[in-house]
Amino acid sequence: MSESQTTRTAPGTEGGTGTGPETDALALIAGEPRESMRRLPGFVQPYLTWVTGVPLRGGKQLIPWSPTKAGLLGIAQIALGIALGAYAIRPLTVLTAPLLVLGWLLTSGGMRRLDVVVVHQTLHRMFTKKEWSNRLVGELITTLFWRSPYDDNRKEHLLHHAYPCSMKDGDTRYLLSTGMRPGMSRSEFRRYLWAALLSPRHHARFFGNRVKSNFVGVTPRYRLAMSLAYLAATAAFLVLTGWWVQWLVLWLVPASVFFQGCTFLYTMTEHRWWLFGNEDRLPRDKRDLLTFGRFCGEAVPEDSVSGPRRAAAWGRWTFRMLVVHSSYRMFVLVGDTVQHDLHHVMPACDWANSPWIRADDQDNRPERYTEVWGSLADHLQAAGQVGGNSAGLPADVEPTPWTESVPVVSGVVRPDGRVKKEQL
C-alpha cells in the first residue's frame, strides 16, 4: 500500500497523542468523536481506531491488513469461541452460563467474519486474484456454515448492488417479512426487534432456508456433492467420537440462533432501507444516502467536567467503549463492514484497509459519504427511521412517506406493516 493510502493528511500518529498548534486546530472537527480521543495515550489509539472504524487525522497505519489476515482472524475467533465453550462445560460451575454465552458469541462472530467479510469479497472476486480461487474459498465456507452456494449468492448480491433497498433486493424482502417498516415509535420498534430476535418461527425459517439451499435444487452438481460429503463427514465424526452434545452445544447453537440473530441485526443497520420508498432506480446522490458509515463510539468527557462527575463520566465512557461498542464490533459489525458505504461507492478498493481508504476518499469526495456515530441502537434507529430519526442525513432530504412507498402502493405490504404472505 502506498503512503497516501495509509496516512491521513494532518499531524499526529496512531502511536502518539500529538502536540502543538496544528494538533489543537484538529481537536474536534465537526463534532467527530474520534478526534476527541486524540488526547488519550498513544498505546490505546490502535484499539480506538479498530473499535470506532475511524483513524485519527494524520494517523499512520501500524499493521497493514490483507485478505488472508482477515480470513485467519475469523478462523482464530471461531477456535477461541469453541475452546472457551468447551472449558465452560467441563465441569459445570456457576461460571458455565456466562462463559458459554460468551463462547457462543465469539464463535458466531468468527463465523460471521468469514461469511460477511470473506465470502462477501469472493462474490466481488476481491478476496483472491483469480476467479477460480474466489469461487473455491466461497464454496468451502458456505458449505461449512450451510449458506447459499456461490452462484446463487453472487447473483443475489449483485442484484443488491444494482437495486439497493428496492423490492428486487432480497434483503429488503427479508426485512419486510419480519414485519419491519419505517415510522415506528421507539417502543414499537423495541417490541418488534425483540419479537423477531427471539421468534422460533423466524429462526426456524431462516435455518430451514439455509439447509434447503444446500440440498434442494443445488447447482452446479459439485456443490451438492460438497454438501453431501460434509453431511457424511459430520455424521461419521459424531458416530466415531460420540460427541453429539458437544457438537450441538459448541457448533450448532452458535451456527444457528446466534449467527442468525447477529445477521438480522447487521442487515437491519446495513442501509437506510426505507428512505426513498424502495424505488428501483435512483440517481447517484440518493443511492449514496442509502448507505452510511456505522461508526462506533462517542466523544470523551469534556474537560469542564470535574470532581466526582468527571470520574463518573470517564467510567461510563470507558465501560461503553470496552463493553458496548467492542461487543458490537466483535459479534455484529465485524471487519470492514463499518465502512459499508465505502464498499458501495468504491467496491474494488483495498477493502482490508478500509478505514484509511475511506478517510482518504472522503477527503476527496465528501459529498458521497454520510455517517452515524454511536452504538448498535443508534444505527438501528437511523437505518429504520425509528421515530422519524434522520441522523446523518442532510437537512434538505425528504424521506418518501411509507404510504407512497413501492411495497404499499404495489399491495405487497399494507400501510400498517402487515405483509401479504403470497407476495414475498
Side-chain angles (χ1 to χ4, degrees), residues 39 301-307 309-310:
R39 73 180 79 168
E302 298 180 0
D303 288 336
S304 59
V305 180
S306 60
R309 290 181 59 193
R310 180 178 178 82

Side-chain angles (χ1 to χ4, degrees), residues 67-68 71 113-142 148-151 153-155 157-158 336 343 347 351:
T68 300
R113 189 180 293 274
L114 293 182
D115 180 62
V116 79
V117 176
V118 175
V119 173
H120 175 218
Q121 292 300 333
T122 68
L123 301 179
H124 289 277
R125 297 171 180 166
M126 289 291 294
F127 185 74
T128 68
K129 295 181 180 180
K130 302 292 185 180
E131 179 181 345
W132 70 266
S133 53
N134 278 294
R135 176 182 290 272
L136 175 62
V137 172
E139 294 283 38
L140 285 172
I141 295 174
T142 53
S148 296
Y150 184 84
D151 287 331
N153 202 352
R154 188 167 191 269
K155 179 181 178 181
H157 188 67
L158 293 182
D336 68 312
H343 174 66
W351 58 269

Side-chain angles (χ1 to χ4, degrees), residues 40-62:
L40 298 176
F43 69 87
V44 301
Q45 296 298 338
Y47 159 76
L48 293 172
T49 293
W50 167 75
V51 71
T52 62
V54 179
L56 286 174
R57 292 181 178 270
K60 293 183 178 180
Q61 185 176 4
L62 298 183

